């Protein structure tokens, strides 16, 4: 592995492996049996080479905004609902800073909400991934996504028009 490679903690690798192999929890014995090797690609994706000859890819979504890029996305307004307190997410536009979304419940009295914030950029990356797109597309988002439910553990459930639900979790 060269020094430019993306680094993963052991814990992170175990979670990614578990998800990629369809395990509820990481099991070292199952892993040993199933996986011949893992290749870390230059873009940060992981290729799992299975003993049966199959290759599975874990896609690294690059969730941290690149320097000097602050996306501002209007179509998330009113679409992201907090699973903890039921309020919707609102946008903070910091001049020259990253734009992020937070649960408005955090600003209300009598509501104790600790749901995580999300950068605008991260929401775009994850949404594009969930819609099967290489790049985020606002029109497609409006067309496909009815609502996103944000959970306290940082996972996001995408509710597509038509009833399909898909949960996203980094690892
Ligand atoms: Zn909340």
């Amino acid at each position: 592995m060269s020094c430019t490679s993306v680094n993963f903690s052991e814990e992170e690798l175990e979670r990614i492996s578990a998800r990629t192999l369809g395990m509820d929890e990481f099991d070292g014995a199952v892993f040993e049996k199933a996986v011949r090797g893992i290749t870390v690609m230059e873009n940060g994706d992981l290729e799992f080479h299975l003993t049966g000859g199959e290759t599975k890819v874990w896609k690294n979504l690059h969730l941290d905004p690149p320097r000097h890029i602050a996306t501002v996305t209007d179509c998330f307004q009113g679409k992201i609902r907090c699973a903890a307190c039921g309020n919707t997410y609102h946008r903070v536009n910091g001049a020259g800073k990253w734009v992020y979304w937070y649960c408005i419940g955090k600003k209300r009295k009598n509501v104790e909400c600790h749901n995580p914030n999300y950068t605008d950029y991260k929401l775009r990356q994850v949404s594009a991934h969930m819609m099967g797109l290489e790049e985020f597309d606002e029109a497609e988002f409006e067309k496909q996504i009815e609502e996103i439910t944000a959970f306290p553990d940082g996972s996001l459930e995408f509710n597509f028009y038509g009833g399909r639900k898909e949960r996203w979790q980094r690892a």
Side-chain angles (χ1 to χ4, degrees):
M1 218 188 277
S2 80
C3 58
T4 55
S5 292
V6 182
N7 291 308
F8 294 91
S9 69
E10 191 168 332
E11 207 190 351
E12 216 174 1
L13 267 181
E14 288 187 355
R15 277 201 306 264
I16 293 166
S17 301
R19 282 184 66 78
T20 306
L21 300 174
M23 298 186 252
D24 287 332
E25 262 181 53
F26 182 78
D27 182 328
V30 174
F31 179 84
E32 289 276 320
K33 252 191 178 167
V35 179
R36 211 153 34 84
I38 300 175
T39 309
V40 181
M41 310 301 282
E42 222 170 307
N43 63 8
D45 289 357
L46 296 178
E47 266 187 15
F48 286 75
H49 305 286
L50 307 187
T51 44
E54 201 190 335
T55 300
K56 283 194 175 179
V57 176
W58 177 81
K59 206 161 162 32
N60 192 323
L61 294 181
H62 308 289
L63 299 172
D64 296 324
R67 270 170 189 242
H68 310 305
I69 290 192
T71 58
V72 183
T73 310
D74 290 327
C75 62
F76 294 141
Q77 199 73 59
K79 290 264 193 176
I80 305 162
R81 188 165 299 279
C82 174
C85 73
N87 285 295
T88 52
Y89 271 61
H90 288 237
R91 189 171 67 198
V92 175
N93 300 325
K97 283 187 187 168
W98 298 346
V99 175
Y100 70 92
W101 294 77
Y102 70 98
C103 172
I104 196 75
K106 292 179 173 185
K107 291 275 162 86
R108 300 237 162 105
K109 282 182 183 164
N110 311 320
V111 179
E112 199 168 321
C113 183
H114 303 287
N115 237 40
N117 301 333
Y118 296 92
T119 60
D120 194 87
Y121 185 82
K122 177 171 175 172
L123 287 173
R124 290 171 73 98
Q125 294 290 90
V126 174
S127 298
H129 174 68
M130 296 304 274
M131 295 187 290
L133 303 172
E134 279 296 315
E135 272 188 42
F136 183 77
D137 184 297
E138 204 151 332
E140 274 301 312
F141 183 87
E142 304 260 28
K143 207 163 78 184
Q144 293 192 34
I145 309 296
E146 190 169 8
E147 195 169 81
I148 298 171
T149 312
F151 290 88
D153 66 356
S155 65
L156 297 166
E157 188 174 70
F158 284 72
N159 300 275
F160 291 80
Y161 285 112
R164 186 160 66 93
K165 286 177 190 232
E166 269 188 58
R167 184 89 162 243
W168 174 85
Q169 220 157 8
R170 180 165 195 255

